[in-house]
């Protein structure tokens, strides 16, 4: 199989007996991290840190790995379909091959992710690159070695941009990134405190009597918004792919958190603070309350929130299934409860269950075992139905939770390993 251009100097990868030829130009930016690191090797010792053996005469690199698994991985990185497990191969073994070549569990097709989660839960094992024999600390050292080898080849401006991207995107990548992340967290906390305080009656009364207090709160708000805006603009400028940057969920949240402030400022400028403009006043209050989205910005700096977002992204089918379960049960129990509590005996009917939509509220708080007590059945058949409704809610809600839990654990370990890798480079930088 030839992957490189004809006529170019080529190298040969021998993976478990299967030979692949590719050009050196393609080797430099190859999608698999371990393969691309061969381009930066300057001595035979560097080569043997990446592969198992090397034949200088034939320019052939030997990898003592599973050849069939590498074939599946190679088809995936070349864009031929999704990454799936190799037939008749253990899921954990294939996952170890992925980690060795530089891929993660997120690259797998959704159905294979489920199989991997089930296998991990059966064996109580959660693999990461640090767990794979021969690829844990060695992989981390290789990650640190690779940028140093390319440092002399890359242009200064390109290195500076890459360092800026890591500083703004990875809070654990450097000391400057941690300082920047800490400042952002402080601004988020300050903005939330000001937002919560502005809704207190005593605060509003004090602001009405003391104009300077309101002015100071607006200045603090403007400073926070200025910081968030500058951070977003810089991250947009230094991003590699502008379209991909706009599509990312966290960047969309940043835009939703920043835009309402400028809209409210423009509306205030054009309409003033005239209380007679009720519609504008309601709009302004809604826009100001949308500042609550700033809390989600903390997801950039905390693994827990990132894990939650990644889990919801991977388990959207389970979430939809959970909502379908609730909706179907709610339709059935609300109709039956309305009939038993109101429809059979109109004279001694329960007014709280006068309609099916009204009964839906009782069903949802019963199935989720909240039970506010604002409405409840008073007839014996209605109470029996209520007990069945509660038990059914516990069962239906518990069914998809297992899948969501396993996916959450896998996402957490992936993000934790990624953070630990950058923290290791931070420790090296600090000691140096």
């Amino acid at each position: 199989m030839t992957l490189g251009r004809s006529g170019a100097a080529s190298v040969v990868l021998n993976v478990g007996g299967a030979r692949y030829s590719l050009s050196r130009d393609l080797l430099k930016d190859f999608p698999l991290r371990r393969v691309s690191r061969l381009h930066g090797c300057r001595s035979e010792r560097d080569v043997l840190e990446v592969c198992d053996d090397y034949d200088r005469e034939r320019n052939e690199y030997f990898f003592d790995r599973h050849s069939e698994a590498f074939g599946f991985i190679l088809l995936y990185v070349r864009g031929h379909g999704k990454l799936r497990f190799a037939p008749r191969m253990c899921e954990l073994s294939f996952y170890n091959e992925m980690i060795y070549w530089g891929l993660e569990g997120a690259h797998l097709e959704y159905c294979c992710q489920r199989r991997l989660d089930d296998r991990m839960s059966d064996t109580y094992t959660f693999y990461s690159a640090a767990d794979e024999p021969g690829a844990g600390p060695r992989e981390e050292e290789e990650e640190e070695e690779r940028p140093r080898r390319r440092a002399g080849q890359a242009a200064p401006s390109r290195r500076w941009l890459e360092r800026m991207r890591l500083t703004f995107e990875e809070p654990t990548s450097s000391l400057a990134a941690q300082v920047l992340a800490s400042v952002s967290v402080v601004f988020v906390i300050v903005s939330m405190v000001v937002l919560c305080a502005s809704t207190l009656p005593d605060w509003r009364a004090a602001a009405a009597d003391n104009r300077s207090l309101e002015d100071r709160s607006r200045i603090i708000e403007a400073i926070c918004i200025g910081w968030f805006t500058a951070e977003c603009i810089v991250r947009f400028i230094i991003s590699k792919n502008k379209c991909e940057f706009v599509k990312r969920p966290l960047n969309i949240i940043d835009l939703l958190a920043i835009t309402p402030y400028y809209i409210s400022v423009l509306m205030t400028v054009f309409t003033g603070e005239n209380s007679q403009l009720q519609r504008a006043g309601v709009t302004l209050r809604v826009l100001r309350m949308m500042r609550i989205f700033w809390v989600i910005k903390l997801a950039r700096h905390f693994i827990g929130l990132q894990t939650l977002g990644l889990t919801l992204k991977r388990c959207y089918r389970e979430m939809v299934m959970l909502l379908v379960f609730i909706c179907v049960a709610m339709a059935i129990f609300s109709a039956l409860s309305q009939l038993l509590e109101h429809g059979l005996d109109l004279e001694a009917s329960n007014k709280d269950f006068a309609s099916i939509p009204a009964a839906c509220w009782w069903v949802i708080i019963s199935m989720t075992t909240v039970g506010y007590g604002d409405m409840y059945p008073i007839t014996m058949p209605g109470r029996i139905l209520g007990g069945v409704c509660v038990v059914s809610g516990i069962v239906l809600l518990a069914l998809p939770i297992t899948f969501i839990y396993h996916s959450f654990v896998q996402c957490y370990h992936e993000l934790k390993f990624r953070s630990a890798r950058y923290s290791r480079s931070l420790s090296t930088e600090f000691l140096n």
Side-chain angles (χ1 to χ4, degrees):
M1 172 184 280
T2 301
L3 303 178
R5 299 193 303 268
S6 60
S10 62
V11 298
V12 177
L13 304 181
N14 190 319
V15 182
R19 304 173 77 249
Y20 304 89
S21 176
L22 62 154
S23 68
R24 283 197 172 275
D25 293 337
L26 185 60
L27 186 70
K28 179 180 179 181
D29 298 317
F30 200 74
L32 295 179
R33 185 170 61 244
R34 181 174 289 272
V35 177
S36 63
R37 289 185 57 249
L38 292 173
H39 184 271
C41 296
R42 293 293 175 263
S43 64
E44 187 170 348
R45 179 181 177 182
D46 295 339
V47 172
L48 293 179
E49 289 180 356
V50 180
C51 61
D52 297 301
D53 201 359
Y54 172 60
D55 190 334
R56 182 182 297 274
E57 295 181 358
R58 294 185 297 180
N59 203 20
E60 186 171 357
Y61 301 91
F62 294 88
F63 296 89
D64 188 14
R65 308 300 297 188
H66 198 285
S67 59
E68 187 177 2
F70 181 75
F72 274 74
I73 294 174
L74 191 62
L75 289 175
Y76 167 70
V77 299
R78 294 181 63 195
H80 297 288
K82 303 290 185 178
L83 180 59
R84 296 182 174 88
F85 290 127
R88 301 176 302 279
M89 185 176 180
C90 173
E91 291 85 355
L92 296 180
S93 298
F94 188 87
Y95 184 54
N96 283 336
E97 295 294 322
M98 291 170 51
I99 295 297
Y100 178 83
W101 295 109
L103 299 180
E104 297 179 354
H107 294 91
L108 282 170
E109 179 69 358
Y110 179 80
C111 58
C112 293
Q113 290 182 14
R114 300 275 67 77
R115 287 174 54 188
L116 181 62
D117 291 343
D118 294 339
R119 188 59 184 271
M120 285 181 173
S121 63
D122 291 340
T123 58
Y124 297 98
T125 305
F126 300 97
Y127 280 79
S128 66
D131 301 323
E132 198 269 329
R138 182 175 171 182
E139 278 294 326
E140 295 181 357
E141 294 174 1
E142 291 169 352
E143 285 297 324
E144 301 170 12
E145 192 82 12
R146 184 180 177 187
R148 290 197 292 268
R149 289 172 178 170
R150 290 191 173 183
Q153 303 173 359
S157 59
R158 184 177 179 182
R159 290 191 316 229
W160 180 81
L161 282 176
E162 187 64 29
R163 189 173 184 85
M164 287 288 291
R165 292 190 192 101
L166 288 177
T167 301
F168 279 86
E169 299 292 342
E170 299 294 340
T172 59
S173 61
S174 66
L175 186 60
Q178 285 196 350
V179 172
L180 185 66
S182 300
V183 173
S184 296
V185 171
V186 169
F187 274 107
V188 170
I189 295 175
V190 170
S191 62
M192 287 297 98
V193 170
V194 173
L195 175 62
C196 295
S198 64
T199 60
L200 295 173
D202 295 339
W203 176 281
R204 292 198 299 266
D209 297 337
N210 188 357
R211 187 69 179 179
S212 61
L213 179 61
E214 183 178 359
D215 293 338
R216 284 197 294 268
S217 64
R218 290 182 177 180
I219 292 174
I220 295 175
E221 180 184 3
I223 293 174
C224 295
I225 283 291
W227 171 267
F228 298 146
T229 304
E231 182 183 9
C232 189
I233 292 175
V234 171
R235 292 177 59 254
F236 177 77
I237 292 175
I238 65 178
S239 62
K240 293 182 180 179
N241 191 331
K242 301 297 188 292
C243 296
E244 186 67 23
F245 177 86
V246 176
K247 295 178 182 178
R248 291 178 182 174
L250 286 178
N251 297 330
I252 295 176
I253 292 172
D254 287 345
L255 189 63
L256 291 176
I258 295 172
T259 304
Y261 174 80
Y262 294 103
I263 297 176
S264 62
V265 169
L266 291 176
M267 293 185 63
T268 303
V269 170
F270 288 110
T271 63
E273 296 292 344
N274 191 346
S275 59
Q276 295 179 355
L277 299 175
Q278 290 294 334
R279 181 173 299 179
V282 172
T283 304
L284 286 175
R285 288 194 294 271
V286 172
L287 292 175
R288 288 171 182 168
M289 196 54 61
M290 288 183 67
R291 288 178 294 176
I292 198 66
F293 283 110
W294 292 343
V295 175
I296 309 180
K297 288 174 64 66
L298 296 176
R300 295 187 183 278
H301 315 297
F302 295 99
I303 294 180
L305 293 177
Q306 295 176 15
T307 306
L308 177 61
L310 185 58
T311 303
L312 293 177
K313 179 181 177 181
R314 292 186 182 178
C315 298
Y316 71 94
R317 296 183 181 178
E318 283 81 0
M319 299 298 294
V320 171
M321 181 172 60
L322 182 62
L323 293 177
V324 170
F325 287 169
I326 294 176
C327 291
V328 171
M330 187 168 57
I332 296 174
F333 286 113
S334 61
L336 292 177
S337 62
Q338 194 275 337
L339 176 64
L340 296 176
E341 292 293 312
H342 186 79
L344 296 181
D345 189 356
L346 297 180
E347 295 182 357
S349 61
N350 190 342
K351 301 300 181 183
D352 292 334
F353 293 81
S355 64
I356 291 180
C360 287
W361 169 250
W362 171 79
V363 173
I364 192 66
I365 63 175
S366 298
M367 291 184 63
T368 55
T369 65
V370 176
Y372 292 113
D374 54 342
M375 56 187 298
Y376 50 86
I378 58 177
T379 64
M380 183 58 65
R383 291 177 178 178
I384 295 175
L385 179 67
V388 175
C389 177
V390 172
V391 174
S392 301
I394 295 174
V395 174
L396 293 179
L397 293 176
L399 290 177
I401 296 300
T402 304
F403 299 99
I404 298 175
Y405 165 75
H406 292 319
S407 180
F408 180 87
V409 173
Q410 181 187 356
C411 294
Y412 175 75
H413 280 270
E414 290 179 6
L415 293 175
K416 188 177 180 181
F417 167 71
R418 180 183 178 186
S419 177
R421 186 174 60 198
Y422 284 111
S423 298
R424 182 179 176 87
S425 63
L426 171 62
S427 301
T428 304
E429 177 184 351
F430 182 76
L431 292 175
N432 293 335

